[in-house]
Structures are given as structure tokens and as C-alpha cells.
Amino acid sequence: MKIILIEAYESGARPALQDWNGEKLPDGYAWCEETFADVFYSTDPAGFVDITVEDDTVTAMTVNWEALNAYIAENPDEPDNPDEPETDEPTADELIDAMLGVFNV
Amino acid sequence: MGNMHLVTGHAGKEHVKASDHGAMFAALFGSGQYILDLGNKLAAQIVSNNLVRISDGELLMQGRHARIPKKEYVDIPISANANGYLRNDLIVVRYTKNAETSVEDTNIIAITGNSVTADPKDPEYVAGDILTDGALQNDVPLYRVRLNGTEITGIDSLLTEKLPSFHGLAKELSEKLPELEDALESLNNTLTCKTGTYTGTGTKGSGNPTKYVLGFSRPILIYIKGTTMSVPTIKNHPLFDLTSSYTSGSSLARPTAKYANGTLSWYDGSDAADQYNSSGVTYEWLALGV
């Protein structure tokens, strides 16, 4: 099940939907059916939605166009570049080295 | 009389035997042989080279209770040993049962070992099963007395199993409780690795931080890998390493991470990609914490 931050940021945005396996909801979050992800991610940028929460569960979700347009107006040159080529992924040895480095702090 | 003996019941005649109580004590406290937590606990003292004194104390022998009352003691004579010879004697509590009369008794005695010039052995003793076999004899070794020539050079305690009282047990447990709680706490604090994914929204900046609930009481690190964004190697750009403050120097602008109430949040003011929040990008993450 996914969870969503109940209180939107001042901009009207919300952080990404998150998977949550715990039985108890984290404070400030509501359960969110997968089907609402289509609405949540229907815009670019995403996450500008208004939600209705009943019994800790999202029952309705609509795009907050006003907040979205305001954000776009304030951030006209979004530098997001998803086509940037991926670099080498870390090897298993590098991952272990990094973890050991942390533990040896 | 029924086919099961009602020990604690009125039968109109004498019917409770020592073996009945012995069985109950063995069932309640254990069928072994223990010194109980009272008085001087049958402590041994060398009085002379031919006398060892056993102080007061309580013994439970396969459910049978034997005692030297408080303020009393028993002197055990040790037979003379030849000069130049070594010897081990055993001081034992000897239980006996007369086969004809069934009269039972206990005595503390010394079993004399063999005198040898080297490597003396303990003398043999009888280990009987009173509970099951109704043994006619059972010896409970209390002490080994080491002799070198005519001199007693030392006494070794052989009955090391002590049976605490209920009060002593409760006190010991209560004293151990903090230690047990610490142990449980450390078990609960086992390092945990969690993994997951999230899809970026494309927003950025301090007013739109990326948030992720991890639920750790103490996070150690989190590694986030974007599927299409440029991700540097883990060595040079570790992740959100929460064990120490992040130091700049990487080629990738680093978000500002903070962790509160089980939730990690971070942002970057200039670039959603650098905030690991590119629109529509699925980010895989791995987190370690306790």
C-alpha cells in the first residue's frame, strides 16, 4: 500500500508517493490506493494535488492546477534532464567498501 | 486407600512417609543434590592435620533434606597419612537405609583414599538413586581433602550446586533485570537493511523537499540510485551518510539531508535531478539503520 503526506507543502506540492508495509501509518500520512498514482503523476512536475482523507485513507484526489501553474511560473527553466546517460553503477566491492568505511567511523 | 496415594489427606491412620516428602521436594526443587541458601552452608574448616570441621547448613539430596542445625557443627576425623605419601580423602554425606527395618539416616564421614607417591586419586564412593531405586546407600561428596604426608594441604569444594531460596532467586532476577533489558534493547537495535523505490515528482528546493519515511530510530546511511540520472560511484559520492556531516567536493551538487521522526528529507535548490526527484524517474534506494 502507498502512503501520501496529508499536509501539502506551501507550494501545494507533496513528496512522492511511498510504499509502506507497516501496519501503523507514519504520523502525518494517509493510505493511498495505487489508482490515485495516475492522478498524482498526471502532471509534470507531479504531486500538486488536493486530497480528501477519510479514516486515514485518501478517498478523492484532484490536480491543484493553481498551485502547479504557480510553481511552473516560478521555475520556468526546470533543469531536469532525464536523458542524461547513466554512469557506471557501483560494484559489490565498492558497496562493501563504502559500508565498511561507515562502520569504521 | 485408593490406587493413588493422597499424601496431604486424612486417612484415619499414619500414611505419610519420608519418601513422600522427598518426592515432593525433588519435584519442586530438583532431583539433584544441593546445598541450600541458609546458615554457613556446610562450610569446611581445617582444625588440625587430622580434623576437619563442617559448619551448619542444609542439604537437599534427591529430595531428602538433611541438616546440621544452626550454631552446631560436625568434626570429621582424618586418618593419619604416612610421611612422603600423597592422599586424597573425600568428605561425604552418606545416606543409608536399613534393608530390614527401612530406617534411614545420614552421616558426614571421611572416605580415606590410597596413599601414593604421585598423582593421588579420589577414593570411590557410592552414588545411589534414592528416588527411583530406593537405594540403600548414597554418598554426596562435599569436599576433597588433600594430604601431603601428615599435613592437610588443602580442601576442594565438590558440591558446587547451590539452591537459592525463592527470595534470593527473586532478588537475583531483579538485579539482573536491567542487564536483560539492555540485552533485549540491543537485540531490537539490530542493524536493518531496507530497500524500496519511489517515483520523482520533478519539484525541487527547500520548500519542496523529497521525503521518505524509513522508520529507523537511528539511520546510518541511505543510497539512492536513479535509473536514468547520472549517479556517481558510491565511493566518491556516498549517499546520504548520516553518520557524519556531508562534506562538499563532489561534482554532483548534494542535497541537504536531515532525519527527524523516522523520516529522511532532502532538497536541492537548483535542480530536481540533483534532489533525486526528476519527474517520472523511478529511484531505487537502499538504507541501513537501527
Side-chain angles (χ1 to χ4, degrees), chain A residues 9 11 18 41 44 46 80 84 87, chain B residues 199 201 208-209 213 228 231 278:
Chain A
Y9 298 140
S11 65
Q18 177 184 339
Y41 288 106
D44 184 9
D80 191 11
E84 189 172 336
T87 59
Chain B
T199 301
T201 63
N208 303 288
V213 184
T228 59
V231 178
S278 293

Side-chain angles (χ1 to χ4, degrees), chain A residues 3 5 9-11 13-20 26 29 40-41 43-48 71 75 77-90 94-95 97-99 102-103 105, chain B residues 191 197-204 207-215 220-221 223 225-235 241 243-244 263 270-273 277-281 286 288:
Chain A
I3 56 175
L5 191 64
Y9 298 140
E10 272 191 33
S11 65
R14 297 171 198 275
L17 298 178
Q18 177 184 339
D19 290 315
W20 186 250
Y29 282 78
F40 188 90
Y41 288 106
T43 60
D44 184 9
F48 289 86
Y71 179 86
N75 300 274
D77 300 314
E78 179 62 45
D80 191 11
N81 185 9
D83 296 329
E84 189 172 336
E86 192 171 358
T87 59
D88 292 341
E89 294 182 4
E94 288 170 336
L95 184 64
D97 286 347
M99 289 178 174
V102 169
F103 296 142
V105 168
Chain B
L191 184 67
T197 61
Y198 67 89
T199 301
T201 63
T203 55
K204 65 181 182 184
N208 303 288
T210 302
K211 278 191 176 184
Y212 211 93
V213 184
L214 294 173
I220 292 176
L221 61 83
Y223 167 60
K225 186 184 83 168
T227 53
T228 59
M229 68 176 289
S230 173
V231 178
T233 65
I234 193 168
K235 266 185 182 173
D241 179 355
T243 57
S244 59
T263 300
S270 61
D271 192 344
N277 197 32
S278 293
S279 182
V281 173
L286 176 152
L288 292 176

Side-chain angles (χ1 to χ4, degrees), chain B residues 34-140:
Chain B
Y34 322 99
I35 292 177
L36 306 183
D37 188 16
L38 190 67
N40 285 310
K41 300 171 192 167
L42 303 176
Q45 176 191 355
I46 301 171
V47 177
S48 68
N49 279 329
N50 55 17
L51 199 68
V52 173
R53 177 165 293 169
I54 306 298
S55 302
D56 62 273
E58 317 284 330
L59 176 77
L60 199 62
M61 176 202 299
Q62 301 177 35
R64 301 306 182 92
H65 177 209
R67 68 188 302 236
I68 300 174
K70 270 198 168 186
K71 297 182 181 176
E72 295 183 17
Y73 56 83
V74 174
D75 283 338
I76 307 298
I78 303 297
S79 64
N81 187 35
N83 272 323
Y85 285 87
L86 301 170
R87 199 181 79 198
N88 285 354
D89 290 357
L90 288 182
I91 294 178
V92 304
V93 178
R94 173 162 291 174
Y95 161 92
T96 55
K97 180 178 181 180
N98 186 299
E100 292 180 5
T101 65
S102 292
V103 171
E104 298 167 294
D105 201 0
T106 50
N107 278 288
I108 302 179
I109 62 165
I111 304 176
T112 304
N114 292 325
S115 295
V116 292
T117 53
D119 194 21
K121 306 292 186 201
D122 292 343
E124 291 187 354
Y125 62 92
V126 175
D129 187 334
I130 302 170
L131 273 169
T132 310
D133 300 336
L136 299 180
Q137 182 178 332
N138 177 52
D139 295 335
V140 182

